[in-house]
Amino acid sequence: MADFWYRCALAIVPRMVYGLIRLWFATCRVKVRGDAPLRQHVQTGKAGIAVFWHYSFLFLFYYFRMFPSAIMVSASKDGEYIARLASLMGHVPVRGSSHRGGVKALKEMIERLRQGLNGAIVADGSQGPVRQAQAGCILMASKTGLPIFPVAWAARRVLIFNSWDRTAVPLPFTTIVVRHGEPLWVESGIGAEQVEAWRLELEQRLNRLYEAAWHEVGRKTHDGGRPGADRLSPPRNEPSLRDGTTHY
């Protein structure tokens, strides 16, 4: 009986969530920083690897729907909901994580990238530690010769879930700032020490983007550094939004 209700939920919940977030995010104003290198790369017809922190996955799955990607999703039963939601957005879920089926998933991701599909992966994995990059995306970039495009977002008003990563969702009618970093080209044939050096470089770039994005909307971190935080109130003054942004 439990399996029956699980199958029913899988058939219904992802579609309901997708419909809801389409309406939800449509009310938001999105301002994009530094996406020119990504768009120029896409125009060449070559694939790339978008990398971001786990807290940001839901909005970025939606944001990158114009760039269908192979997305690594946890092989757990709960991960099946995320996989189906990603599929509804046009992505190709690849099941696995550093804790379960990681090697197989990594090989499949590399194969998908070599076939010309973009890749999207959470840098801190399915269970963290929070905002500490793991080596998987570095290996993907090294094996395929494709660039890594780090990205982070922040919003003036967000809902924070009580999860290990404090998963964040922009609230309706808020302003979202998406920051893209310069592409990271990883050398091929690198050894363990070089993997670690590249991993640390990616981690630092992502955290600089993260800090800049949240600073722009008046915050240091997305959860305010408070373990029990459930939401962020809007700052009193609207931060200055510079020219040269892309509006959606």
Side-chain angles (χ1 to χ4, degrees):
M1 182 61 71
D3 286 343
F4 170 77
W5 289 115
Y6 174 69
R7 291 194 299 271
C8 289
L10 285 178
I12 297 171
V13 172
R15 292 182 180 276
M16 291 180 60
V17 171
Y18 181 51
L20 175 62
I21 65 175
R22 287 181 64 187
L23 295 173
W24 186 304
F25 293 153
T27 69
C28 299
R29 187 183 186 191
V30 181
K31 301 198 173 189
V32 182
R33 313 286 194 218
D35 65 332
L38 172 63
R39 294 189 176 277
Q40 290 169 2
H41 181 78
V42 169
Q43 289 173 359
T44 68
K46 297 180 180 179
I49 307 169
V51 178
F52 40 88
W53 293 137
H54 198 284
Y55 85 90
S56 62
F57 80 90
L58 185 58
F59 174 72
L60 288 181
F61 281 10
Y62 178 81
Y63 173 77
F64 280 116
R65 69 196 185 283
M66 70 283 285
F67 304 121
S69 304
I71 295 180
M72 189 177 292
V73 179
S74 170
S76 67
K77 290 184 69 174
D78 288 344
E80 183 63 24
Y81 291 99
I82 304 300
R84 296 199 179 197
L85 182 60
S87 295
L88 291 171
M89 296 181 191
H91 303 301
V92 178
V94 174
R95 307 303 302 278
S97 67
S98 59
H99 298 275
R100 182 179 178 185
V103 174
K104 180 177 179 295
L106 180 61
K107 290 180 178 178
E108 184 177 347
M109 285 289 293
I110 291 172
E111 182 59 29
R112 294 283 189 177
L113 291 167
R114 286 173 172 166
Q115 292 171 357
L117 192 62
N118 295 307
I121 186 171
V122 291
D124 42 357
S126 62
Q127 297 184 29
V130 174
R131 297 196 290 280
Q132 293 184 28
Q134 298 182 6
C137 49
I138 299 299
L139 294 173
M140 287 181 205
S142 178
K143 293 287 186 180
T144 62
L146 298 175
I148 291 173
F149 291 94
V151 61
W153 68 263
R156 290 179 54 77
R157 298 174 60 247
V158 295
L159 176 67
I160 307 294
F161 289 88
N162 189 26
S163 55
W164 68 267
D165 64 332
R166 293 293 191 255
T167 295
V169 179
L171 287 172
F173 304 102
T174 193
T175 296
I176 305 169
V177 175
V178 180
R179 281 189 172 266
H180 293 259
E182 290 293 321
L184 185 65
W185 295 86
V186 180
E187 301 171 0
S188 62
I190 56 178
E193 290 185 3
Q194 293 168 304
V195 168
E196 174 59 19
W198 284 108
R199 185 204 66 77
L200 184 59
E201 173 67 18
L202 174 62
E203 182 177 298
Q204 291 171 344
R205 290 193 187 194
L206 274 170
N207 278 327
R208 285 196 294 268
L209 286 173
Y210 172 87
E211 291 165 4
W214 288 98
H215 175 76
E216 185 169 345
V217 299
R219 299 288 172 179
K220 291 183 178 180
T221 64
H222 75 283
D223 60 1
R226 295 175 291 121
D230 57 0
R231 64 176 58 87
L232 298 179
S233 59
R236 293 182 179 179
N237 298 314
E238 177 75 20
S240 174
L241 297 176
R242 298 183 297 277
D243 293 336
T245 60
T246 303
H247 299 258
Y248 288 91

